[in-house]
Amino acid sequence: MDRIFSGFLLSALLLFQDHGVYGAPPQPRGALCRTRPTDLVFIIDSSRSVRPHEFEQVKVFLSQVIESLDVGPNATRVGVINYASTVKNEFSLKTHWTKASLLQAVRKIKPLSTGTMTGLAIQFAINRAFSDSEGARVRSPEINKVAIIVTDGRPQDGVKDVSARARSLGIELFAIGVGRVDKNILRQMATEPLDEHVDYVESYSVIEKLATKFQEAFCDLSDLCASGDHDCQQICVSTPGSYTCACKESFTLNSDGKTCSACSGGSAIDLVFLIDGSKSVRPENFELVKKFINQIVDSLDVSDKNARVGLVQYSSSVRQEFPLERYNNKKDIKAAVKRMSYMEKGTMTGLALRHLTEKSFDPSSGARPGVPKVGIVFTDGRSQDYISDAAKKAKDSGFEMFAVGVGNAVEDELREIASEPVAAHYFYTADFSTINKIAKELPTKICVEEDPCECKAIVKFQKKVEDLIKIAALENKII
């Protein structure tokens, strides 16, 4: 109980740390996972059918499961049995009391590369691995006894009877089969219900994906934030057995309790993305650009009255994907962005900027008079036409222009596109894989200068003061 409380208290303290955000930074997977006290023995097949590089993948799987455990003499104890034609006790339940020493021991395990005596290995687990002399604890409801069997072939001995004996002794058996394994044999070994205790993967290359299952199975108190099992857009705050979402400073949590809006309080804004779809971007990176757009859309309060979003793609020509007036909710906008096809060809940034000025922010496209206009230009290379006049006209028209460059984008061009102060309107990263970081930062700068929330707060404060003055005056009259 003290352990649970201290973990909860740690999360609460992190929530109020001054990191520029209102929430705790992500923790490594398993960092706050309290596992039930368990005697855990891995029984791993290293017969000749398991190639050396495949055996290394089994060790990765073991390590990932161990990483998530709360290891210690009073928590989880781990042993490993390695088998082929013979059985080798790599280390017993009493050998290692720390996670670091366990992981080091796993790295040193070598394959035996002979036959497949799975039944013999299970018998060894019963007689020795789960014995008092090897560190197993007295059977009780508080102590789980678990064996995870990993095999890729048909055993050369029987497993049905010996597995039944293991189960009758209170050992919970998980059976993992790889490749051409006989699935009926897996079912003979495993504990009921079979759908929870039998797993199959086609090759060792994907066995590590099963680690998540066992990480969750052994977790008594799982930090869902640390494991990534949450859908918070910005900050996940752990609570015992659950989580809540929070937002960075200057953001507000939306009504869905998951996403955050940079412009809270219903800020009206007309925002148009101007996206480079030239051939230098490449298809796989263009998909990342679409995620970048949708990440920013998620931060907006989209509606007819508040934020409207338009999208233009350009290469050698300009194509309006959808105007400002087309969609009035995030779901439809994001779906349209995902459907956007890649144009390829050249990079006519100047032509695209002229389209933005002359058409995208025109009332016929849904632009609203008196509403702030924001343009976000995304490019990965040098423009093949002049941009100076078009960039100047956009800014002179009162549009707030942001320039985002990737890879071979030209800094001078980005600065020319960006509004003043340039440092707040110009972003660059060398790699498409990191543009999501820009998408997190950019929304904080999109809001209109006069924050409606501040106005509402002032009005609310003024009303409260007026009410207090009235009460005070009334009391004075009574006196």
Side-chain angles (χ1 to χ4, degrees):
M1 184 57 131
D2 290 339
R3 208 176 171 86
I4 296 173
F5 177 75
S6 61
F8 176 68
L9 182 60
L10 174 62
S11 296
L13 288 172
L14 286 170
L15 177 62
F16 294 101
Q17 280 186 345
D18 183 16
H19 290 299
V21 296
Y22 294 119
Q27 302 292 323
R29 176 180 282 275
L32 297 177
C33 176
R34 181 177 179 272
T35 52
R36 295 186 297 274
T38 302
D39 288 346
L40 171 63
V41 175
F42 291 95
I43 304 174
I44 54 174
D45 177 356
S46 67
S47 57
R48 65 174 65 92
S49 60
V50 183
R51 298 173 183 175
H53 73 276
E54 293 174 332
F55 192 71
E56 290 302 310
Q57 289 165 332
V58 175
K59 287 158 62 176
V60 169
F61 164 73
L62 264 62
S63 297
Q64 287 180 338
V65 175
I66 292 169
E67 281 278 12
S68 70
L69 301 174
D70 185 18
V71 175
N74 298 317
T76 297
R77 303 179 183 184
V78 180
V80 174
I81 295 171
N82 183 11
Y83 78 93
S85 294
T86 58
V87 178
K88 182 181 180 182
N89 189 34
E90 295 290 348
F91 52 85
S92 64
L93 293 167
K94 67 179 181 180
T95 308
H96 301 286
W97 298 130
T98 68
K99 195 177 297 185
S101 62
L102 273 172
L103 294 172
Q104 189 173 8
V106 168
R107 284 194 291 271
K108 294 178 180 178
I109 299 175
K110 303 294 182 184
L112 301 175
S113 301
T114 51
T116 312
M117 300 294 285
T118 308
L120 181 65
I122 298 172
Q123 187 63 56
F124 183 93
I126 295 171
N127 295 343
R128 183 168 171 184
F130 283 106
S131 67
D132 295 346
S133 61
E134 293 298 316
R137 287 164 285 191
V138 177
R139 180 181 175 183
S140 73
E142 289 75 33
I143 306 293
N144 294 337
K145 295 188 180 295
V146 177
I148 300 176
I149 305 164
V150 182
T151 182
D152 81 331
R154 184 184 294 275
Q156 295 170 327
D157 57 354
V159 300
K160 186 175 181 179
D161 292 341
V162 70
S163 297
R165 283 198 297 275
R167 295 193 299 268
S168 69
L169 292 170
I171 301 172
E172 185 177 9
L173 297 179
F174 290 87
I176 299 175
V178 184
R180 295 182 179 180
V181 67
D182 186 337
K183 295 178 184 178
N184 185 50
I185 295 295
L186 299 178
R187 289 190 285 270
Q188 288 180 19
M189 293 189 290
T191 297
E192 295 280 357
L194 295 179
D195 59 347
E196 293 180 10
H197 292 82
V198 174
D199 288 284
Y200 170 79
V201 290
E202 292 184 357
S203 69
Y204 282 102
S205 63
V206 292
I207 190 172
E208 62 188 77
K209 292 182 179 180
L210 292 177
T212 302
K213 168 185 173 175
F214 292 99
Q215 287 167 347
E216 294 172 354
F218 294 130
C219 235
D220 196 25
L221 175 66
S222 178
D223 182 351
L224 299 179
C225 295
S227 67
D229 295 327
H230 66 87
D231 46 12
C232 297
Q233 183 189 3
Q234 290 188 355
I235 299 168
C236 180
V237 181
S238 290
T239 59
S242 186
Y243 67 90
T244 58
C245 299
C247 299
K248 296 179 181 179
E249 189 173 3
S250 79
F251 284 75
T252 297
L253 191 66
N254 292 326
S255 58
D256 60 9
K258 302 171 185 177
T259 60
C260 301
S261 290
C263 302
S264 59
S267 299
I269 186 173
D270 288 343
L271 170 64
V272 175
F273 291 93
L274 206 60
I275 302 300
D276 179 354
S278 59
K279 60 185 176 184
S280 59
V281 174
R282 295 187 302 197
E284 63 273 20
N285 290 331
F286 193 69
E287 293 303 310
L288 295 177
V289 175
K290 292 196 281 187
K291 290 181 180 179
F292 165 85
I293 296 169
N294 281 342
Q295 193 174 343
I296 294 175
V297 169
D298 269 331
S299 73
L300 302 173
D301 185 10
V302 177
S303 70
D304 278 335
K305 293 182 178 180
N306 299 326
R308 293 186 183 182
V309 178
L311 176 61
V312 174
Q313 184 185 172
Y314 71 94
S315 58
S316 297
S317 58
V318 177
R319 184 173 77 200
Q320 179 175 260
E321 300 293 344
F322 54 84
L324 288 164
E325 65 180 356
R326 178 74 55 83
Y327 304 113
N328 61 7
N329 62 78
K330 294 180 188 180
K331 182 180 178 181
D332 290 343
I333 291 173
K334 291 169 71 175
V337 170
K338 289 178 181 178
R339 290 194 301 268
M340 177 172 57
S341 60
Y342 177 35
M343 291 177 70
E344 301 191 61
K345 300 186 179 179
T347 311
M348 303 293 281
T349 310
L351 180 64
L353 285 166
R354 286 194 293 276
H355 182 279
L356 181 81
T357 306
E358 297 168 5
K359 296 182 180 180
S360 296
F361 286 127
D362 189 80
S364 63
S365 294
R368 295 163 290 180
V371 172
K373 309 289 188 292
V374 177
I376 298 177
V377 182
F378 186 102
T379 182
D380 85 324
R382 181 183 296 275
S383 177
Q384 295 173 331
D385 60 350
Y386 294 106
I387 69 166
S388 299
D389 291 344
K392 184 176 184 300
K393 186 175 180 181
K395 289 180 286 187
D396 288 347
S397 299
F399 307 153
E400 186 174 12
M401 300 298 295
F402 291 88
V404 180
V406 183
N408 294 322
V410 180
E411 183 177 353
D412 288 344
E413 291 185 353
L414 296 174
R415 290 182 173 275
E416 198 163 10
I417 293 169
S419 292
E420 294 288 346
V422 172
H425 292 82
Y426 151 67
F427 300 85
Y428 174 80
T429 182
D431 197 320
F432 278 90
S433 65
T434 57
I435 60 176
N436 62 313
K437 295 180 181 178
I438 296 175
K440 290 180 180 179
E441 183 181 355
L442 204 155
T444 63
K445 303 178 185 298
I446 291 176
C447 283
V448 294
E449 292 181 7
E450 181 184 10
D451 186 349
C453 290
E454 291 181 7
C455 295
K456 286 185 177 181
I458 292 170
V459 171
K460 187 176 181 180
F461 176 74
Q462 286 176 338
K463 187 177 186 304
K464 187 174 182 180
V465 171
E466 289 170 0
D467 290 343
L468 289 172
I469 291 172
K470 289 177 182 178
I471 292 169
L474 184 61
E475 287 177 349
N476 286 333
K477 285 181 181 180
I478 293 171
I479 292 170

